Amino acid sequence: MAWIYLIVAGLLEIVWAFAMKQSQGFSRLTPTLVTLGAMIGSFALLSLSMKSLPLGTAYTIWTGIGAVGAFLVGIAFLGEAATAMRLLAAMMILGGLVLMKLSS
């Protein structure tokens, strides 16, 4: 169950990062509220996952899901550049996540 909590926490991290961007510096109410709700949910689920997963594993996986996910959302929905170097960097992060999971 801890891994499910962790994955959902990572997905919520993507949601709050995107909503924060949409809030335009917390000047728009709805995206600001989505940001805050997703942050609370993400932290709560991360906390639950840490009851049985090691700190380093849980935190690394959580931030990695958020980082790669936000990167992909930026490309898909915000028109951010998908250069070879950026894609390679994202693949390296993903590779690190796989190694972290395999080591746990």
Side-chain angles (χ1 to χ4, degrees), residues 58-92:
Y59 190 75
T60 300
I61 298 292
W62 179 69
T63 57
I65 291 171
V68 173
F71 167 72
L72 294 173
V73 166
I75 291 170
F77 297 104
L78 302 174
E80 295 179 2
T83 64
M85 188 71 75
R86 294 183 82 215
L87 292 169
L88 177 60
M91 289 189 314
M92 291 175 73

Side-chain angles (χ1 to χ4, degrees), residues 15 22 33 37 39 45 48 58 61 75 87 93 103:
V15 170
Q22 298 304 306
L33 294 175
M39 280 181 165
L45 291 171
L48 288 174
I61 298 292
I75 291 170
L87 292 169
I93 292 169
S103 72

Side-chain angles (χ1 to χ4, degrees), residues 2 5-6 9-10 39-55 58-59 62:
Y5 290 150
L6 184 58
M39 280 181 165
I40 291 167
S42 182
F43 280 103
L45 291 171
L46 174 63
S47 174
L48 288 174
S49 76
M50 285 182 172
K51 286 184 175 182
S52 59
L53 295 176
L55 167 68
Y59 190 75
W62 179 69

Side-chain angles (χ1 to χ4, degrees), residues 3 10 17 25 27 30 41 54 63 102 104:
W3 282 101
S27 65
T30 300
T63 57
L102 292 175
S104 297

Side-chain angles (χ1 to χ4, degrees), residues 6-46:
L6 184 58
I7 290 167
V8 174
L11 294 173
L12 285 172
E13 187 178 4
I14 299 166
V15 170
W16 71 251
F18 179 71
M20 184 185 297
K21 176 72 171 171
Q22 298 304 306
S23 77
Q24 297 178 354
F26 300 118
S27 65
R28 296 178 58 218
L29 181 60
T30 300
T32 297
L33 294 175
V34 171
T35 300
L36 295 173
M39 280 181 165
I40 291 167
S42 182
F43 280 103
L45 291 171
L46 174 63

